[in-house]
Amino acid sequence: MRKLCAILAILCPACGLFAAYDMRNQPTAALDGWKIEAEAVRPDAVCRSGETVEFRVRLLKDGRPAPGRKLVWSIHGDYARGAKGECVSAAEPVTLRFTPRGPGFTWLKVDCPLEAGRKIYARAGVMTDPETVRPGFAEPADFDAFLEEQKRAVRAGAMAPREVPLEVEEPYRGRFELFDVTVATPGTKPVRAYLTRPAGEPGRKFPAMVTWHAAGVRSAMPQYRFAGMGLLVLDVNAHGIGNGGSHEEYVRLYRTTMKDYRFEGADDREKIYFNGMYRRLIRALDYLKSRPDWDGRTLIVYGGSQGGAQALAAAGLDPAVTAVIAHEPAMCDHGAPLAGRTAGWPRFIRMKDGKPADPAVARAVAYYDSAFFAARIRRAECLVLTGFIDTTCVPSSVYAAFNSIPSASKRIVNFPQAIHGSYPEFDRVTDEFLAGLLRPGK
């Protein structure tokens, strides 16, 4: 690590202007007129092992360069933890550089101390040899057998769906129908979801979509945006709890009894919290396919973060899925620490003396790695999005999953300036992908 510190150097101010990007993706980068801009010099922020990477950093005050202020930088990520130093802002951007040691994700953090103990910071990231990243450990030999066992268990009982009509709010009233759906799921809580469909078209059969939620606790939601594209949309509550509650109710659950749900039973593949979540996933797909208003051809799965993990799992579990959209998917590459990289959320495996601190956890979570589900997506069209300053679902973990997809029709879109979240740019790429899927004659 000291060698990396020596490689990282302050260079003369860079010439030229910053590329145009929207710094709203870094809300911590601005305060009281102060602003830090940071970016990789390469517009695509993709480099090769052994290649020198350059970052540009600029400090502004009220939109003007602010020279002479101390900036504190540090390097984080795969193979590059611990390098740090200081530099001084200048009228022109200051350039920092380093040399990655291997394939993966590296990100720069720049802090600017302000008065009264406050500070602002910005991040910039790069991916090195992203197409070569593979999962950090091997999938279990009985992975498929375990999945088939889960499917049999879920399908052992009747679905007994219950569909309660809900009032559609303005300005969507008359354009859509909305239902609160409950589907029995053996071995866990029921599927709880909202079904949204175009109104006034009796007998019509629709292409279908299932949407899944990011981490947290919330009600299922109407999906007027996607239903407006002519889709039959099932939005699934991740936890099988009641829909339509108050915001305060879900916040209270998340802060109390469900605060650490992601780690519950993590040392047992049958008792891990995600076993129930993925059983409901199987049941949700079966329910939607059973509906007489599904066209029997198009089945799209969609989600971001934890929902992106569920979308990849759905496409790997069910060959009826024709397309998958995963924004910054979680649960990717749990074994990354064994390869010296950072895993995606929720980072189950902790290392001790070069080995997993809890071998039982390492064994159990392998059955819930998005990369291994991705390896079973053979025909579905795939769109995956990743952000290069996403430190929650790090881009190297996302690439470990994306590179595992055997489908010939797959695409990954990199957003060098995106942290973990959702942005209009994500929606634009998604809508273009959906338009291609849904065009007449497809």
Side-chain angles (χ1 to χ4, degrees):
M1 198 55 65
R2 290 180 180 177
K3 183 178 180 181
L4 179 59
C5 291
I7 292 172
L8 190 63
I10 308 298
L11 301 182
C12 61
C15 299
L17 299 175
F18 266 58
Y21 56 82
D22 190 346
M23 293 299 294
R24 79 186 189 292
N25 289 5
Q26 296 197 58
T28 55
L31 179 68
D32 294 341
W34 290 99
K35 182 179 181 181
I36 302 176
E37 293 182 337
E39 68 173 357
V41 171
R42 288 181 60 100
D44 62 1
V46 174
C47 63
R48 301 299 165 197
S49 296
E51 177 184 349
T52 297
V53 174
E54 295 184 340
F55 293 111
R56 286 195 295 243
V57 178
R58 181 167 61 178
L59 178 66
L60 304 174
K61 172 62 172 169
D62 298 326
R64 297 176 179 274
R69 303 281 300 208
K70 182 174 75 172
L71 301 175
V72 181
W73 57 261
S74 53
I75 294 289
H76 308 264
D78 304 329
Y79 314 114
R81 304 177 185 91
K84 58 185 178 180
E86 296 180 0
C87 60
V88 177
S89 64
E92 296 294 330
V94 173
T95 301
L96 308 174
R97 71 178 180 183
F98 79 102
T99 303
R101 295 193 292 112
F105 170 50
T106 307
W107 58 279
L108 168 75
K109 181 185 178 188
V110 182
D111 294 88
C112 179
L114 301 175
E115 289 71 20
R118 297 179 302 168
K119 68 178 181 180
I120 56 173
Y121 71 87
R123 289 180 287 191
V126 295
M127 275 293 294
T128 305
D129 296 328
E131 71 282 355
T132 69
V133 178
R134 293 295 184 272
F137 57 15
E139 70 176 50
D142 63 344
F143 188 84
D144 287 312
F146 177 71
L147 296 185
E148 289 305 314
E149 178 186 332
Q150 301 307 301
K151 292 179 187 178
R152 285 193 296 271
V154 168
R155 292 165 176 164
M159 287 192 285
R162 184 169 63 92
E163 300 154 358
V164 178
L166 298 176
E167 183 177 356
V168 175
E169 64 268 33
E170 294 291 355
Y172 306 106
R173 191 169 299 152
R175 297 170 52 197
F176 302 101
E177 296 174 336
L178 181 65
F179 302 87
D180 187 348
V181 175
T182 304
V183 185
T185 307
T188 189
K189 295 176 182 176
V191 173
R192 298 299 306 269
Y194 279 174
L195 180 77
T196 313
R197 52 165 283 166
E201 301 183 66
R204 178 180 170 184
K205 295 182 180 293
F206 301 92
M209 171 186 274
V210 186
T211 57
W212 279 286
H213 292 184
V217 181
R218 61 186 67 84
S219 171
M221 297 174 285
Q223 289 291 348
Y224 301 123
R225 170 186 162 210
F226 295 131
M229 300 178 184
L231 287 162
L232 176 70
V233 190
L234 188 71
D235 184 79
V236 180
N237 175 326
H239 305 289
I241 59 177
N243 293 320
S246 68
H247 172 72
E248 291 74 20
E249 176 185 347
Y250 297 117
V251 169
R252 183 168 58 254
L253 284 172
Y254 189 56
R255 290 178 176 174
T256 56
T257 57
M258 299 185 68
K259 181 178 181 180
D260 294 316
Y261 71 81
R262 61 196 183 278
F263 297 124
E264 287 182 16
D267 60 351
D268 187 319
R269 68 179 188 177
E270 299 281 358
K271 296 178 181 178
I272 189 171
Y273 188 87
F274 294 96
N275 180 272
M277 189 179 292
Y278 283 23
R279 284 187 177 217
R280 288 189 290 276
L281 181 156
I282 295 165
R283 200 60 148 177
L285 291 168
D286 286 351
Y287 162 74
L288 198 54
K289 291 186 297 181
S290 75
R291 289 186 59 87
D293 49 0
W294 177 48
D295 69 7
R297 297 187 304 274
T298 301
L299 181 57
I300 305 165
V301 293
Y302 168 96
S305 194
Q306 177 185 268
Q310 292 176 87
L312 291 173
L317 281 163
D318 195 331
V321 171
T322 57
V324 54
I325 304 167
H327 292 185
E328 299 177 320
M331 305 284 286
C332 293
D333 199 15
H334 297 319
L338 283 73
R341 299 193 307 269
T342 304
W345 181 95
R347 303 196 177 101
F348 287 112
I349 298 176
R350 301 289 184 265
M351 302 295 286
K352 183 179 181 180
D353 300 326
K355 298 179 180 179
D358 190 333
V361 169
R363 288 192 296 269
V365 301
Y367 293 90
Y368 299 88
D369 195 314
S370 296
F372 301 152
F373 288 105
R376 285 151 176 80
I377 305 175
R378 296 180 175 86
R379 291 186 295 275
E381 298 185 48
C382 304
L383 173 66
V384 178
L385 275 55
T386 185
F388 279 8
I389 52 174
D390 183 348
T391 58
T392 302
C393 298
V394 294
S396 51
S397 74
V398 174
Y399 264 97
F402 177 79
N403 292 336
S404 300
I405 298 172
S407 172
S409 181
K410 65 177 184 178
R411 178 189 178 202
I412 188 166
V413 182
N414 303 324
F415 289 86
Q417 283 293 328
I419 61 173
H420 196 66
S422 182
Y423 307 104
E425 293 85 350
F426 287 15
D427 292 341
R428 176 183 55 79
V429 173
T430 297
D431 289 351
E432 290 174 356
F433 181 73
L434 287 171
L437 293 176
L438 300 174
R439 69 176 181 269
K442 171 68 175 179

